[in-house]
Amino acid sequence: MILDRVFLVLLFLLGLAGFVPSGSVVSAQEGHYWTEFYGTRSTILNGIVIGSVDDLAAVYYNPARLGLIDNPGVILSGKVYEWSLLEIEAALGEGLDLSASKFGGVPSLAAGTFRLPFLPRHHFGYAFLTRYRQSTDLFARDLRNGDILDAFPGIETIDEKIFLATEIKEEWFGVSWSYPLSEMVSIGFTGFYADRSKKNSFDLRFTALSQGGQVAQLLRNRAIGYSANGLLGKFGFAADLFPVTLGVTVTTPKWNFGGKGHLVYEEIFNGWDLDDDGVDEDRFETSLQKDLPSKHRWPWSVGVGAGVTHNKHLLHFSAEWFGPVSGYTLLESEEFIGQTSGDTLSFRIVDDLKSVLNFGLGYEYLFSGRYSVHTSFATDRSAVRGDVNGWVTDSGEISNSTLRKDFFHFGGGASLTFDAVEFTLGATYTTAAQRFERPLDP
């Protein structure tokens, strides 16, 4: 039946929260916490700097380090370029692959420090950073002839179009305070405001023309999105016990204070004989809903890190545990009645995340007081728990996070430091692979 083929494509192409197939280089995914990196050397080191960060990325990684950095600078901003590749092997059958790639600049970090004259021993900082970002568009079209519809004798002209899009963006703005308890020990705190938005959509259009001039059409359009605002905080402790530096951080859950979402649902077809009784079952069902309440949760996390210096060698280590997020509903639509079927329909986005432990190692070699090279490795384990349902399925319960595979990050580069400026050139590479079985062969 032609609907089997249509739904095969829908089920396999993409769950709009971002399925990642074999061999992909990917941008940030939900259910992962160590995907974005900030700062100069901190980026090349894949963020393995909880105990050893030495620039204004400390506002994010460990605010207590601000009290121990001699000259953190006035402002730091970085330009980062990213190439992302999304590949789906054998998406529509053997030898029929889909892919999408993108190259361009992405925001990294803008940060600075300030002092208050009446608090001379206190250190303050601020930062604007992009905590999550992803933008993926896939389009497939197939125009061909074939005998697919049982209701139409002979060969039909078939036109299929599928467009899938997802966009995730979460911006954090943080203000930090740090106070050195001594020359070697400091404490600190950063309060973050988080502004999050996510949009998913897919549009399927299928048209078949029989030899006798009969036309069958299927239109399926889904769009769902939400925004959520919240506050969270990060507490930090830092110690400089040369040749060893240490750091500990505790990040709070997110307190939501605002959010709303929307839903677009369309299921329209004509000229279909679904039960082969000789009668077309035309359908028209549509709903548009706005200003639906939404929220987004963030787990407790505890991080530890260390930096060890020996002659011209510097070794970085960090680990961070993220707690579970019990199953909850981010967004739920109002129930609505299908105009022709009379069915009661509703949709909700859910999240259910397990606890994960990430760790990483970084290494620096200092050729001189100005020139150094770096390399690093870090894990980024998926917190997604259990099976997931993508937005392209007919399930009324849709998973906010879809990728169940772990990411692995590799980094390398070099830094050249002058009296008032530092140049850093390097690259990071992230890879993940996940296999999806086609429920039917096309």
Side-chain angles (χ1 to χ4, degrees), residues 97-168:
D97 303 336
L98 289 176
S99 65
S101 63
K102 183 177 295 186
F103 177 82
V106 297
S108 176
L109 174 76
T113 61
F114 61 95
R115 304 293 289 268
L116 298 178
F118 53 89
L119 296 172
R121 286 180 49 81
H122 299 253
H123 300 256
F124 299 91
Y126 61 90
F128 298 86
L129 59 94
T130 301
R131 189 65 185 89
Y132 280 96
R133 53 175 171 75
Q134 179 191 354
S135 179
T136 303
D137 299 313
L138 280 178
F139 176 77
R141 182 175 184 178
D142 188 16
L143 181 62
R144 59 195 173 82
N145 296 319
D147 186 8
I148 296 179
L149 283 174
D150 296 334
F152 291 171
I155 302 298
E156 299 94 39
T157 300
I158 307 297
D159 185 7
E160 292 175 287
K161 302 182 187 72
I162 299 176
F163 177 74
L164 305 105
T166 181
E167 182 178 355
I168 305 168

Side-chain angles (χ1 to χ4, degrees), residues 21-221:
S22 176
S24 297
V25 179
V26 295
S27 57
Q29 293 285 340
E30 298 185 88
H32 296 79
Y33 302 109
W34 271 21
T35 310
E36 299 290 348
F37 315 113
Y38 311 101
T40 51
R41 283 181 288 179
S42 300
T43 295
I44 298 176
L45 291 168
N46 282 306
I48 313 303
V49 293
I50 293 176
S52 52
V53 60
D54 60 0
D55 57 29
L56 285 177
V59 174
Y60 173 76
Y61 289 111
N62 187 347
R65 288 284 299 169
L66 289 175
L68 300 178
I69 300 174
D70 293 332
N71 184 21
V74 176
I75 188 168
L76 177 152
S77 64
K79 186 65 174 178
V80 178
Y81 292 91
E82 178 189 70
W83 174 64
S84 62
L85 171 64
L86 180 64
E87 295 177 330
I88 303 179
E89 297 179 356
L92 304 176
E94 294 302 322
L96 300 174
D97 303 336
L98 289 176
S99 65
S101 63
K102 183 177 295 186
F103 177 82
V106 297
S108 176
L109 174 76
T113 61
F114 61 95
R115 304 293 289 268
L116 298 178
F118 53 89
L119 296 172
R121 286 180 49 81
H122 299 253
H123 300 256
F124 299 91
Y126 61 90
F128 298 86
L129 59 94
T130 301
R131 189 65 185 89
Y132 280 96
R133 53 175 171 75
Q134 179 191 354
S135 179
T136 303
D137 299 313
L138 280 178
F139 176 77
R141 182 175 184 178
D142 188 16
L143 181 62
R144 59 195 173 82
N145 296 319
D147 186 8
I148 296 179
L149 283 174
D150 296 334
F152 291 171
I155 302 298
E156 299 94 39
T157 300
I158 307 297
D159 185 7
E160 292 175 287
K161 302 182 187 72
I162 299 176
F163 177 74
L164 305 105
T166 181
E167 182 178 355
I168 305 168
K169 190 172 184 180
E170 183 167 341
E171 303 285 353
W172 286 17
F173 169 68
V175 177
S176 296
W177 161 84
S178 180
Y179 182 78
L181 302 177
S182 69
E183 293 183 355
M184 297 183 295
V185 177
S186 180
I187 58 174
F189 173 78
T190 300
F192 288 105
Y193 165 76
D195 186 359
R196 176 184 182 83
S197 64
K198 179 175 181 178
K199 297 177 182 179
N200 287 342
S201 65
F202 98 90
D203 189 12
L204 164 72
R205 297 177 185 270
F206 178 94
T207 305
L209 174 65
S210 73
Q211 291 181 342
Q214 298 169 291
V215 176
Q217 289 184 316
L218 168 66
L219 166 63
R220 170 170 286 187
N221 183 24

Side-chain angles (χ1 to χ4, degrees), residues 271-349:
W272 297 89
D273 181 9
L274 299 181
D275 52 12
D276 298 322
D277 63 356
V279 179
D280 293 343
E281 287 84 18
D282 294 344
R283 179 174 295 182
F284 180 94
E285 297 182 344
T286 183
S287 179
L288 172 62
Q289 301 182 19
K290 298 181 180 180
D291 297 327
L292 301 170
S294 67
K295 59 186 176 183
H296 180 259
R297 293 181 180 173
W298 186 266
W300 284 99
S301 68
V302 179
V304 296
V308 181
T309 303
H310 178 67
N311 296 327
K312 294 184 177 183
H313 307 272
L314 176 56
L315 182 67
H316 303 265
F317 169 78
S318 288
E320 191 167 12
W321 171 85
F322 294 85
V325 176
S326 300
Y328 73 100
T329 299
L330 283 86
L331 174 71
E332 185 169 12
S333 73
E334 299 175 353
E335 291 186 344
F336 59 97
I337 305 299
Q339 284 88 342
T340 55
S341 69
D343 295 337
T344 300
L345 303 172
S346 65
F347 295 90
R348 64 191 187 112
I349 303 178

Side-chain angles (χ1 to χ4, degrees), residues 428-441:
T428 60
Y429 174 78
T430 300
T431 183
Q434 183 163 318
R435 181 179 178 83
F436 298 94
E437 297 291 343
R438 290 197 302 266
L440 298 170
D441 287 327

Side-chain angles (χ1 to χ4, degrees), residues 12-27:
F12 185 76
L13 271 180
L14 270 188
L16 284 177
F19 288 146
V20 180
S22 176
S24 297
V25 179
V26 295
S27 57

